[in-house]
């Protein structure tokens, strides 16, 4: 999910979201037993450049959107008497950042260093003085201030009301250059020298305060925005995945990792997990982003989908060609519909070979007659097991059965006795060769549509891998973030 122009804010935002989760709140002595979902974001060499570019864009937004107050002051000058001044309408123009660096301080904070921020500030200078002979003079001129600044930012992680949020108030600005120009005059003069000398210190304090305040606001805004996106992504109508923290999360020198409950909430019921098999050693650091999901979380999702009546599929048209014509009683398969649904909650087991699904399903083929009630020409109940491997390519989730077995046919109107070998052979062929592949393909398409409705298709997902192991699945990938979503949000927020 090249990067430079299209994904300037994404990784910084995800870093803030992980930071939001990655601090020490109290969860008890057993760190991972209630962990159903884990998210790890690494910092490989390939990520550094992209993260730096995106961070720079966020800092630029903070500078441009900082609200600088009017600056006033006065000073007694020999011969001139008391000199009063005011700087108003201060705004930033022509801002550029040469480079930025990001460092993960283990178990502490995210350190961001922004080097050589060149900014041109513009505004109006008003000044007046009362001389020894009580002669009062007041003037107003436009000014420009050329500056070169280094920014040091430490995002600390704090717990607030059972939630962890980033605190970016540890912020320092170092000025290497601060030059005042009056009315576009680039030549030194006594007036410019006078005001540069005694307002520069005040100006530095104001710039630091307002810019750092804006950066902290940006961090909070982006965190809340991405958390809202995440909460929406794991919710669909009455089915909700609880992504609240399950254990202390960590910041290491090479990755940030957050641990979430992953419990499935359906209406007034919730799953329970207390024996998670997660260990940090199960994830590596070669890819940009990792998701670890427990078998319990996936099984609970399947159970909720069953209870919500979602495990039902209607097949029409050419998809019915595998059914013998005798079933259609002289009509075309185009005039029929096959309904497939789950009679029991699917049993799911994650294994190295894939996701093993065992379930009791029903199949009903109905002939649609004009002006009449549908005529059921075939009904059967069967227990099946299928091992399914999942891949994600071209913004589509693809489910492929690699091993399917018909355990038993419990009921079949075409062979009530269950002893006709030709019908039994047909049923086995129809189910294993055509039925299960068609059902899994349709489920993959439905899940793709659901994920895309949550805007997953806006991400550039690079070389994703879905790896099943006993009791869990790992999704690992590189990615690009849809920066225009954040840019639009920031524009509306400011």
């Amino acid at each position: 999910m090249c990067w430079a122009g299209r994904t300037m804010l994404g990784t910084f935002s995800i870093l803030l979201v992980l930071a939001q989760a990655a601090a020490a709140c109290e969860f008890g002595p057993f760190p991972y037993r209630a962990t159903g979902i884990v998210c790890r974001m690494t910092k490989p060499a390939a990520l550094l450049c992209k993260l730096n570019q995106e961070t720079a864009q966020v800092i630029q937004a903070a500078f441009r959107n900082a609200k600088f107050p009017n600056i006033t002051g006065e000073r007694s000058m020999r011969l001139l008497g008391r000199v009063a001044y005011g700087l108003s309408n201060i705004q930033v123009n022509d801002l550029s950042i040469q480079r930025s660096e990001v460092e993960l301080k283990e178990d502490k904070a995210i350190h961001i260093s922004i080097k050589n921020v060149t900014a041109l500030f513009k505004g109006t200078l008003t000044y007046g003085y009362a001389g020894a002979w009580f002669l009062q003079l007041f003037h107003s001129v436009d000014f420009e201030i050329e500056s070169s600044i280094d920014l040091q930012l430490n995002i600390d992680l704090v717990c607030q009301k059972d939630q962890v949020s980033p605190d970016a108030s540890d912020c320092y600005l170092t000025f290497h250059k601060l030059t005042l120009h009056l009315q576009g005059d680039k030549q030194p003069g006594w007036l410019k020298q006078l005001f540069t000398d005694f307002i520069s210190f005040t100006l530095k304090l104001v710039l630091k305060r307002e810019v750092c305040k804006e950066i902290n606001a940006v961090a909070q805004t982006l965190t809340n925005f991405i958390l809202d996106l995440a909460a929406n992504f794991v919710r669909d109508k009455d089915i909700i995945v609880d992504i609240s923290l399950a254990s202390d999360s960590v910041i290491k020198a090479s990755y940030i990792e957050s641990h979430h409950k992953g419990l499935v909430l359906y209406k007034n019921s919730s799953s329970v997990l207390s024996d998670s098999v997660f260990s940090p050693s199960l994830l590596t650091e070669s890819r940009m982003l990792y998701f670890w999901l427990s078998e319990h979380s996936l099984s609970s999702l399947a159970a909720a989908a069953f209870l919500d009546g979602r495990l039902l599929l209607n097949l029409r048209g050419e998809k019915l060609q595998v059914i013998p014509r005798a079933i259609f009683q002289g009509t075309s398969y185009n005039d029929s519909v096959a309904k497939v649904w789950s009679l029991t909650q699917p049993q799911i087991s994650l294994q190295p070979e894939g996701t093993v699904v065992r379930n009791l399903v029903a199949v009903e083929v109905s002939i649609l007659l004009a002006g009449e009630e549908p005529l059921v020409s075939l009904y059967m109940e069967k227990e099946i097991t299928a091992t399914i491997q999942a891949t994600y390519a071209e913004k589509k989730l693809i489910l492929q059965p690699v091993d399917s077995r018909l355990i038993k046919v419990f009921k079949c109107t075409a062979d009530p006795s269950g002893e006709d070998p030709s019908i039994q052979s047909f049923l086995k062929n129809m189910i294993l060769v055509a039925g299960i592949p068609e059902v899994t393909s349709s489920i993959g398409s439905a899940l793709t549509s659901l994920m895309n409705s949550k805007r997953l298709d806006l991400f550039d997902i690079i070389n994703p891998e879905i790896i099943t192991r006993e009791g869990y699945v790992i999704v690992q990938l590189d990615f690009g973030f849809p920066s225009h979503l954040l840019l639009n949000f920031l524009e509306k927020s400011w």
Side-chain angles (χ1 to χ4, degrees):
M1 284 176 191
C2 188
W3 274 70
R6 298 175 54 195
T7 60
M8 290 298 192
L9 296 176
T11 308
F12 180 75
S13 305
I14 295 174
L15 197 58
L16 289 175
V17 172
L18 292 173
Q20 199 270 352
C25 292
E26 296 301 324
F27 293 100
F30 304 103
Y32 305 122
R33 68 180 186 182
T35 296
I37 297 175
V38 177
C39 180
R40 173 182 288 188
M41 183 177 179
T42 65
K43 201 185 72 169
L47 172 61
L48 285 177
C49 175
K50 302 168 181 62
L51 179 60
N52 293 342
Q53 292 169 343
E54 294 157 7
T55 303
Q57 290 291 312
V58 175
I59 300 303
Q60 284 181 331
F63 268 87
R64 289 196 176 99
N65 291 280
K67 305 300 181 183
F68 299 104
N70 295 339
I71 301 173
T72 60
E74 63 177 46
R75 182 174 179 178
S76 296
M77 304 293 294
R78 188 173 59 180
L79 300 178
L80 293 176
R82 182 170 52 85
V83 179
Y85 63 89
L87 282 77
S88 58
N89 303 320
I90 303 174
Q91 54 185 304
V92 180
N93 294 83
D94 301 326
L95 179 71
S96 65
I97 296 177
Q98 187 176 71
R99 65 187 178 93
S100 58
E101 299 173 354
V102 177
E103 177 186 359
L104 303 181
K105 293 186 174 180
E106 188 158 338
D107 299 326
K108 292 183 179 180
I110 304 166
H111 178 73
I112 299 175
S113 177
I114 309 294
K115 301 292 186 180
N116 293 337
V117 180
T118 301
L120 182 65
F121 297 89
K122 293 185 177 181
T124 302
L125 169 64
T126 302
Y127 63 93
Y129 51 89
W133 300 277
F134 303 101
L135 176 63
Q136 293 186 348
L137 299 175
F138 297 95
H139 301 275
S140 181
V141 297
D142 293 333
F143 71 85
E144 292 181 351
I145 298 174
E146 292 182 289
S147 67
S148 178
I149 306 168
D150 286 349
L151 170 66
Q152 303 290 330
L153 178 66
N154 290 306
I155 301 179
D156 292 317
L157 308 171
V158 296
C159 287
Q160 294 179 346
K161 298 180 179 179
D162 298 327
Q163 291 187 341
V164 184
S165 61
D167 178 8
S169 59
D170 188 2
C171 173
Y172 298 93
L173 271 65
T174 302
F175 290 83
H176 299 293
K177 177 182 178 182
L178 192 68
T179 305
L180 176 69
H181 302 294
L182 300 178
Q183 292 184 321
D185 179 12
K186 306 298 182 182
Q187 300 301 320
W190 72 269
L191 186 61
K192 182 178 67 175
Q193 184 63 44
L194 170 67
F195 284 109
T196 298
D197 286 345
F198 67 79
I199 70 172
S200 61
F201 178 75
T202 303
L203 182 60
K204 289 177 182 179
L205 291 178
V206 171
L207 293 179
K208 175 191 178 302
R209 182 180 69 243
E210 299 304 321
V211 169
C212 290
K213 182 172 69 176
E214 189 63 28
I215 290 173
N216 200 33
V218 170
Q220 296 292 340
T221 300
L222 291 181
T223 298
N224 294 336
F225 175 57
I226 302 300
L227 285 175
D228 288 343
L229 287 180
N232 178 65
F233 189 84
V234 296
R235 175 172 188 162
D236 187 62
K237 298 179 180 177
D238 290 329
I239 301 177
I240 304 170
V241 179
D242 182 1
I243 57 173
S244 58
L245 293 177
S247 64
D248 289 347
S249 302
V250 296
I251 296 180
K252 297 295 185 181
S254 56
Y255 65 84
I256 296 179
E257 185 175 276
S258 59
H259 311 122
H260 308 269
K261 293 179 180 178
L263 302 179
V264 176
L265 312 177
Y266 177 68
K267 294 185 176 179
N268 294 324
S269 63
S270 172
S271 59
V272 178
L273 175 63
S274 60
D275 56 352
S276 175
V277 299
F278 175 74
S279 168
S281 62
L282 298 177
L283 301 179
T284 63
E285 301 174 20
S286 61
R287 304 298 300 273
M288 289 173 57
L289 190 62
Y290 293 81
F291 293 100
W292 181 95
L293 298 95
S294 69
E295 180 179 288
H296 179 272
S297 294
L298 293 182
S299 295
S300 298
L301 276 173
F306 169 74
L307 293 173
D308 205 45
R310 301 193 187 194
L311 302 185
L312 181 150
L313 179 65
N314 290 317
L315 303 175
R316 301 174 182 269
E318 296 181 355
K319 295 180 179 181
L320 303 182
Q321 292 187 64
V322 297
I323 300 177
R325 290 187 176 275
I327 299 296
F328 301 116
Q329 302 181 10
T331 65
S332 169
Y333 61 76
N334 289 318
D335 299 322
S336 300
V337 59
K339 184 171 72 170
V340 183
W341 70 98
S342 180
L343 294 172
T344 60
Q345 175 181 321
Q347 300 177 31
I348 292 180
S349 174
L350 295 176
Q351 300 296 329
E353 298 79 19
T355 302
V356 181
V357 181
R358 183 166 182 162
N359 198 15
L360 178 64
V361 300
V363 178
E364 181 181 270
V365 179
S366 299
I367 300 172
L368 306 178
L369 302 174
E372 300 182 21
E373 291 293 322
L375 174 63
V376 177
S377 59
L378 174 67
Y379 176 83
M380 62 179 173
E381 296 176 0
K382 56 190 178 179
E383 185 178 8
I384 60 171
T385 181
T387 300
I388 301 171
Q389 292 182 351
T391 57
Y392 188 87
E394 298 180 351
K395 300 186 182 298
K396 295 179 181 179
L397 179 65
I398 302 168
L399 302 180
Q400 181 67 41
V402 294
D403 181 27
S404 302
R405 300 179 185 180
L406 177 61
I407 307 300
K408 185 177 181 180
V409 176
F410 290 92
K411 182 186 296 185
C412 179
T413 57
D415 182 22
S417 66
E419 298 178 354
D420 188 325
S422 62
I423 293 180
Q424 292 299 313
S425 176
F426 146 70
L427 291 176
K428 183 176 181 179
N429 182 70
M430 183 184 72
I431 293 168
L432 299 183
V433 177
I436 291 178
E438 184 59 45
V439 169
T440 54
S441 175
S442 298
I443 293 174
S445 298
L447 291 174
T448 297
S449 298
L450 176 61
M451 291 187 295
N452 289 346
S453 72
K454 306 296 184 178
R455 300 188 285 186
L456 181 66
D457 56 332
L458 298 180
F459 290 75
D460 184 15
I461 298 178
I462 302 170
N463 298 327
E465 298 176 87
I466 302 174
I467 304 169
T468 55
R469 294 289 184 262
E470 186 173 357
Y472 62 91
V473 60
I474 296 172
V475 181
Q476 55 189 40
L477 57 117
D478 299 328
F479 70 97
F481 195 87
S483 59
H484 64 278
L485 291 179
L486 286 168
L487 290 171
N488 292 340
F489 175 79
L490 292 175
E491 289 174 358
K492 293 177 182 179
S493 300
W494 285 323

